[in-house]
Amino acid sequence: MKTLSLITLVLLFFSCSTSKTVVVIPAQQTLDYDISNYDMYSCSVDNLSGEELGVQVLNKFSGENIRGFGLNAHRKEIVLVEKEGILHLSNSSDKPMRVKISTQETTREAVAMKEPFVTFTLRNNTSKSIPLIIPGVMNPNLSPFSNSGVDLKIGQEILFKEKGKTYQLLVVDNTIEKNSKLDVAQLIKTRKSELGL
């Protein structure tokens, strides 16, 4: 996939602390979006197209995936991007995709001072996408063989669907170790067994 870059363009758009722009990602291409002069920013990604958009935050120096998920058609989610990170959007479809991006400057301290959060990774070890529901946060669609880093507050529910019905997968608590990886497919398998599904 060819990668487009908005690093230079972004510097023109983001002279203030809050900005919005709409971009078009051509078919089978990716877009890197960077605001290097912010310590951290909150980025609202609104998928205006009819296809799934790949959303990742990559370490701009090592290329390592920090967090990521599949954003369904006509859905909007908020992603935190650190200064050392870059927002990486992927269009694997055969059609151009329109994406609205809104950013708000923040700091790590401001994020840390909010309610107690746990940082961990949702891992999909299977060859199929796994849709989840995180009420009030986002509805990530975990791509095959992918990691999705999340920062969720204590008490936050994570739900899954089975045959059109929604069930609780887990509730975030202190038993989830910081930076641990949870095998989502295995968790769903265990939970379905507990529920007799």
Side-chain angles (χ1 to χ4, degrees):
M1 276 190 181
K2 184 177 179 182
T3 301
L4 306 174
S5 176
L6 276 189
I7 296 173
T8 306
L9 185 60
V10 166
L11 295 177
L12 299 176
F13 274 109
F14 294 94
S15 57
C16 57
S17 62
T18 305
S19 294
K20 297 179 182 179
T21 189
V22 175
V23 297
V24 176
I25 307 174
Q28 301 294 319
Q29 294 193 25
T30 62
L31 174 77
D32 286 341
Y33 200 78
D34 186 16
I35 308 179
S36 300
N37 55 324
Y38 288 172
D39 175 56
M40 175 176 273
Y41 59 96
S42 172
C43 191
S44 172
V45 180
D46 190 355
N47 183 359
L48 304 176
S49 72
E51 304 291 335
E52 181 181 296
L53 174 71
V55 180
Q56 289 177 285
V57 177
L58 303 177
N59 184 301
K60 70 178 71 173
F61 305 109
S62 67
E64 179 185 359
N65 181 46
I66 299 173
R67 65 185 64 86
F69 54 91
L71 182 59
N72 291 331
H74 307 293
R75 298 289 302 186
K76 179 168 67 174
E77 302 296 351
I78 295 175
V79 186
L80 290 175
V81 184
E82 299 85 347
K83 185 171 185 174
E84 64 274 15
I86 191 166
L87 182 66
H88 183 77
L89 304 177
S90 305
N91 176 8
S92 59
S93 76
D94 295 325
K95 298 177 182 178
M97 299 181 71
R98 290 178 70 247
V99 182
K100 182 164 72 174
I101 303 172
S102 306
T103 62
Q104 174 71 53
E105 183 178 10
T106 186
T107 63
R108 296 166 211 253
E109 292 77 17
V111 172
M113 286 177 64
K114 292 183 179 179
E115 299 176 67
F117 279 75
V118 180
T119 300
F120 60 98
T121 298
L122 298 170
R123 171 69 183 166
N124 180 4
N125 284 317
T126 72
S127 59
K128 295 182 179 180
S129 294
I130 301 177
L132 296 175
I133 302 167
I134 308 178
V137 181
M138 63 178 173
N139 297 330
N141 191 28
L142 305 183
S143 302
F145 305 109
S146 70
N147 293 317
S148 179
V150 293
D151 300 288
L152 300 176
K153 64 183 180 181
I154 300 295
Q156 174 67 58
E157 282 188 306
I158 299 180
L159 312 174
F160 72 100
K161 282 192 173 182
E162 176 68 18
K163 295 180 180 177
K165 293 187 177 181
T166 303
Y167 300 92
Q168 185 183 84
L169 178 61
L170 62 87
V171 176
V172 177
D173 60 24
N174 290 319
T175 64
I176 300 176
E177 294 183 13
K178 183 178 179 180
N179 299 322
S180 60
K181 286 187 178 181
L182 304 185
D183 185 337
V184 175
Q186 185 58 52
L187 286 174
I188 290 175
K189 182 179 178 181
T190 301
R191 187 67 178 134
K192 284 165 70 173
S193 177
E194 293 172 352
L195 295 169
L197 301 176

